[in-house]
Amino acid sequence: MNFAAKITGTGSAFPKNRVSNSDIVKKLAKSGIETSEEWILERTGIYERRISDVENPKEQNSSLAFSAAQKALEMAGKSPEDIDQILYATCSPDTPLPSSGCWLQHKLGAHRAWAMDINAACSGFIYGLVTAEKFIQAGQVKTALVVGGEVLSPILNWEDRNSCILFGDGAGAAIIEQIPSDSSRRILYSHLLSDGNLWELLYVPAGGSNMEVTPERYAKKLHKLRMKGKEIFKVAVKTLADFALQALKKNQMTTDDLDWFVPHQANRRIIEAVADRLELPMEKILVNVDRFGNTSAATIPTVLDEANRDGRIKEGQMVLLDAFGAGLTYGSILMRW
Ligand code: UT7
């Protein structure tokens, strides 16, 4: 390989509306569903999340991604014309057709790029980053824009207290650039895996070509997300820990060599259980689930952007990204920042 890939800019954007646990308690109470601020905080570690006003064009999925991408471009010192490739990780696209990638290209005016969506749910940003890296290594792309963006709120069942408390809307973006293969600050290792046998743990029954949304199905909320939370919790803790240990072992490293662990932000208790298994102090783990909930493909790029901008992540540090999501999908990336 003549080339390697490196993140040179990051950005993120969220809708304005902050929804606290107390707001959720009131919202569910209107449908006669009981929950409490204490339960949500204790079982998830989430205080609040952002929810898009989907009637506001500025808060659509690709509009949040547009703001995030502008910030990432600015940090990288690039303009939309420099982008060769747009990879948009989402499971809540603006429209079934065209892709959110094409909506974003249109909004940015990135005329030279080709764009597509990647649906790997919460692992999507890692799948996008790995795909960009391979095109860059092959010499076909010099500058890629990888986005993780979600507006999940319209497909949440606001009468299912087990799932609606967890999720939020938002977008994160990263500019990935081609660098010489002997550069030390680059993506060093990646690992992707899916297990379609576990599809039933997190899915949306209707709205795809298998099942049109009819009035009857609409009434049964078949177009809304269904989740087996407890089962996912167990798989998540095991696979996040296994993927992290494997990444370190394959690179002759231990957790002591790691500066930052960046797990998918689904539930603070999942993150803490993985930290326990890895014997990694929480000080080395990036967390934003407390303020934004689970934003699916957007969790990793948004939490990464936050720590990049406030100076916690420094040049030359070792960073491990690690995710799981509906599918189920899994992925990890080890990089020197
Ligand atoms: O991006 C990835 C996608 N999803 C995930 O990663 C989800 C992973 N799973 C989780 O985060 C957790 O399993 C949940 C937060 C979904 C649930 O927490 P839990 O500690 O696993 O609770 P549980 O499912 O074991 O439920 C315990 C009890 C049940 O009542 P009973 O059966 O003990 O009487 C639930 O019905 O808590 C009840 N419960 C609630 N009570 C108050 C479930 N949701 C709520 C609620 N408020 N919102």
Side-chain angles (χ1 to χ4, degrees):
M1 292 292 170
N2 293 322
F3 304 108
K6 179 184 180 314
I7 293 181
T8 55
T10 58
S12 51
F14 292 96
K16 271 199 210 119
N17 186 21
R18 293 164 185 266
V19 175
S20 67
N21 292 344
S22 137
D23 295 330
I24 298 241
V25 173
K26 286 180 209 143
K27 190 174 168 77
L28 295 193
K30 284 186 191 153
S31 312
I33 294 156
E34 237 183 87
T35 185
S36 68
E37 290 179 55
E38 297 71 33
W39 192 97
I40 301 172
L41 185 59
E42 193 184 303
R43 300 291 182 117
T44 70
I46 300 168
Y47 287 90
E48 64 174 24
R49 68 289 290 142
R50 304 290 181 92
I51 300 293
S52 276
D53 168 8
V54 285
E55 301 301 324
N56 176 355
K58 289 195 173 148
E59 297 205 342
Q60 291 166 349
N61 192 340
S62 63
S63 306
L64 297 174
F66 171 70
S67 302
Q70 279 186 317
K71 293 173 196 167
L73 282 166
E74 193 187 344
M75 186 186 285
K78 295 277 171 190
S79 68
E81 292 76 40
D82 296 319
I83 303 170
D84 300 309
Q85 178 188 51
I86 299 174
L87 301 176
Y88 198 126
T90 188
C91 59
S92 54
D94 298 52
T95 49
L97 286 173
S99 67
S100 292
C102 284
W103 282 119
L104 177 59
Q105 173 183 31
H106 166 65
K107 289 176 184 180
L108 280 170
H111 311 292
R112 292 185 43 257
W114 63 268
M116 67 172 182
D117 283 7
I118 293 179
N119 182 350
C122 308
S123 309
F125 181 75
I126 289 185
Y127 278 50
L129 214 51
V130 173
T131 308
E133 187 213 14
K134 301 308 168 204
F135 275 92
I136 286 173
Q137 282 178 336
Q140 292 187 359
V141 163
K142 279 194 169 156
T143 305
L145 167 62
V146 180
V147 165
E150 304 283 7
V151 174
L152 285 165
S153 48
I155 61 159
L156 296 179
N157 178 356
W158 291 97
E159 292 179 3
D160 173 16
R161 66 179 185 173
N162 164 66
S163 61
C164 71
I165 53 157
L166 275 183
F167 295 94
D169 301 331
I175 297 294
I176 326 299
E177 288 188 63
Q178 188 186 71
I179 52 168
S181 61
D182 58 1
S183 315
S184 62
R185 293 175 52 209
R186 63 186 168 94
I187 294 178
L188 298 164
Y189 161 93
S190 63
H191 180 198
L192 304 179
L193 186 71
S194 313
D195 184 356
N197 292 323
L198 298 180
W199 64 271
E200 220 175 341
L201 298 193
L202 186 52
Y203 75 113
V204 179
S209 57
N210 280 356
M211 204 190 277
E212 197 184 337
V213 184
T214 58
E216 293 75 26
R217 290 172 184 154
Y218 185 89
K220 288 184 188 158
K221 299 193 188 302
L222 292 181
H223 58 303
K224 303 285 186 179
L225 179 145
R226 298 186 169 203
M227 184 179 85
K228 295 191 176 169
K230 225 178 167 60
E231 284 90 333
I232 295 184
F233 195 111
K234 288 181 206 153
V235 181
V237 172
K238 183 176 182 320
T239 51
L240 285 174
D242 287 353
F243 268 58
L245 290 173
Q246 204 172 326
L248 294 170
K249 194 173 168 199
K250 290 246 160 138
N251 291 278
Q252 291 85 44
M253 290 182 197
T254 69
T255 43
D256 290 342
D257 298 305
L258 215 52
D259 293 294
W260 294 107
F261 180 53
V262 191
H264 169 48
Q265 312 279 309
N267 180 324
R268 190 174 167 98
R269 278 169 51 227
I270 293 179
I271 299 174
E272 285 170 350
V274 175
D276 255 12
R277 285 195 179 206
L278 299 178
E279 295 180 17
L280 199 63
M282 282 304 285
E283 294 70 42
K284 282 190 173 187
I285 303 181
L286 299 184
V287 177
N288 73 356
V289 68
D290 49 338
R291 288 156 290 134
F292 299 107
N294 177 351
T295 55
S296 187
T299 71
I300 289 185
T302 56
V303 79
L304 204 55
D305 177 51
E306 188 174 57
N308 189 24
R309 279 177 192 271
D310 68 21
R312 267 176 293 163
I313 304 184
K314 295 181 176 54
E315 280 186 11
Q317 286 190 327
M318 198 58 73
V319 179
L320 177 60
L321 315 183
D322 199 3
F324 68 96
L328 293 185
T329 57
Y330 316 110
S332 63
I333 291 182
L334 187 68
M335 63 178 99
R336 192 179 287 284
W337 196 261

